[in-house]
Amino acid sequence: MALPTLRSVLSAGPARSAASPHLPARTTGTTADRSGGTRWVWGAAAVLFALYAALSVRDQQRILTTGYDLGIFEQAVRSYAHGQLPVSALKGPGFPLLGDHFSPVLATLAPFYRLWPTPMTLLIAQAALLAVAVVPLAGWAQQVAGRRAAVLVAFGYGGSWGIASAVGFDFHEVVFAVPLLAFSLTALARRRMRAAAAWALPLLLVKEDLGLTVAVIGALIAWRAGRNHRLLGLATLAAGVLGTALEVLVVIPAFNPGGQYAYWSGMPATGSDAGQGVAGLLYQATIGLVTPQTKAVTLVLLLATTAFLAVRSPLLWIAAPTLAWRMVSTNPAYWGTGYQYSAVLMPIAFAALVDGLGRWPGPVRTAWPYLVAGAAVTAVLLPQYPLAALLRPSTWHTGPRVAAAHRVLAMIPDGATVSASNRLVPQLTSRATVSEFGFPGLPLDAQWIVVDTADPQGWPVSGEQQQQDVAAAEAEGFRTVSDQDGYLLLHRGSGSGPGSFR
């Protein structure tokens, strides 16, 4: 099934059929205000792209990106660019990444990476994918509530904490899901059911858990579409459920060296809390979804950016699978508002906001206080999230240590095997085989070691442990080649063999 064009998605108006009570057809404002000129949304997307790209590129230039995760994804895309299945030395020697997460969508970046083999390719692609999602959301909002409301929706989405957190932390495969969801939900609300399914099904290639999101979209298609497209909805639902089951139970274990899906250990029923019994599982499925407080804060902030108007729309149910696996997980990193985990929630929340506007019981102008309140929440939260760094002078200043780092890194020949500090990894992954220095359990089989001794990141090991690992490497035959401004470069002497960490 061919994906719909952007023009067709933007130009299609709300449904005029009165057959479904689930989809309001009302619009507001003058005809010119509603349908005249959606070119500005592309301008909004261009501005967001520039902001996102600027932040990501400056992080890379200032050596603030990391091996976990930008380095891993660059190694994946680099593999695809050379006609190979994705592997990552950062996860282990020759580790097949399809045995970690099922994200073949990364192969779409391979032609661009082949032309420009640098992590910048991934960061700029991420900026474009996140920015283009504003096009269907704002275009739809203009038809429902007029241009001024659409501008607030564009600002709310573009500056939202979930998008800002993703931009501020490396690159991740889930950014492919953001525009797919925005276009799919816009089409769903406009009763363009085939387009909604066509935009949703590629989510199966983004990440294994997103099949459940596809399933919910399919359920809504079946519910909203009536008889004509009910079969389409049920087929989409089935494809989502079966796709996730196949990926998690068959495909990923087949590629994984351990023969299993590694992330089961984070689920209460299978991981460290497996013995908690029925009462414990019931607790996790109820009160445990909003406790500890971090979980409740995430849920409140998600809805607060829409001034809680999103709860008026059944589209909000599409966020349920992502929220469920995050909140029942035993990994605290999933519960909060940081990192990339909430990026997929933002197009869902703002699609639900626009749909909620269409369901407003009175004139849409009476919903304006809510729109302004939602935009105010976004504005208040902005300084706490990475986009605010664009306003800090330090972001645009490159310190002398960066130049020292690049002098040291330039001594490493292309094609070398290197074990590097986490922040130094993405500076090397385009031209060397790189592993994470100090990662417990991984063999030290590199010929070069480069670490930041003056400002250690503290992950995967503490600064003290890093010192001990450097001493152990020197005892195994590594010799100092350069030590500039805290950047230490070691090379394995002839006759010394591979070692290991702890």
Side-chain angles (χ1 to χ4, degrees), residues 400 402-412 482 484-485 489:
V402 172
H406 286 296
R407 286 194 300 271
V408 171
L409 295 172
M411 299 179 188
I412 301 173
S482 179
Q484 299 184 36
D485 217 346
L489 178 64

Side-chain angles (χ1 to χ4, degrees), residues 335-483:
W335 304 341
T337 60
Y339 308 111
Q340 78 282 7
Y341 302 115
S342 296
V344 297
L345 300 178
M346 296 300 112
I348 299 172
F350 283 91
L353 164 63
V354 179
D355 193 42
L357 285 175
R359 297 166 179 275
W360 192 252
V364 176
R365 64 177 180 273
T366 61
W368 260 88
Y370 293 88
L371 283 172
V372 173
V377 169
T378 296
V380 168
L381 292 176
L382 265 176
Q384 302 178 46
Y385 290 92
L387 284 177
L390 293 171
L391 299 178
R392 300 186 191 118
S394 59
T395 300
W396 308 102
H397 173 70
T398 301
R401 291 199 75 232
V402 172
H406 286 296
R407 286 194 300 271
V408 171
L409 295 172
M411 299 179 188
I412 301 173
D414 292 350
T417 56
V418 187
S419 185
S421 293
N422 195 31
R423 289 198 189 103
L424 296 177
V425 168
Q427 308 296 322
L428 293 164
T429 40
S430 64
R431 63 183 185 88
T433 300
V434 190
S435 58
E436 195 85 34
F437 182 73
F439 205 99
L442 292 185
L444 180 55
D445 55 1
Q447 292 298 313
W448 297 83
I449 293 174
V450 60
V451 294
D452 184 351
T453 61
D455 185 22
Q457 186 179 349
W459 189 94
V461 292
S462 65
E464 181 180 355
Q465 183 62 57
Q466 179 178 271
Q467 280 186 318
Q468 296 176 19
D469 290 338
V470 168
E474 290 174 333
E476 292 174 5
F478 280 87
R479 297 293 179 262
T480 299
V481 175
S482 179
D483 188 354

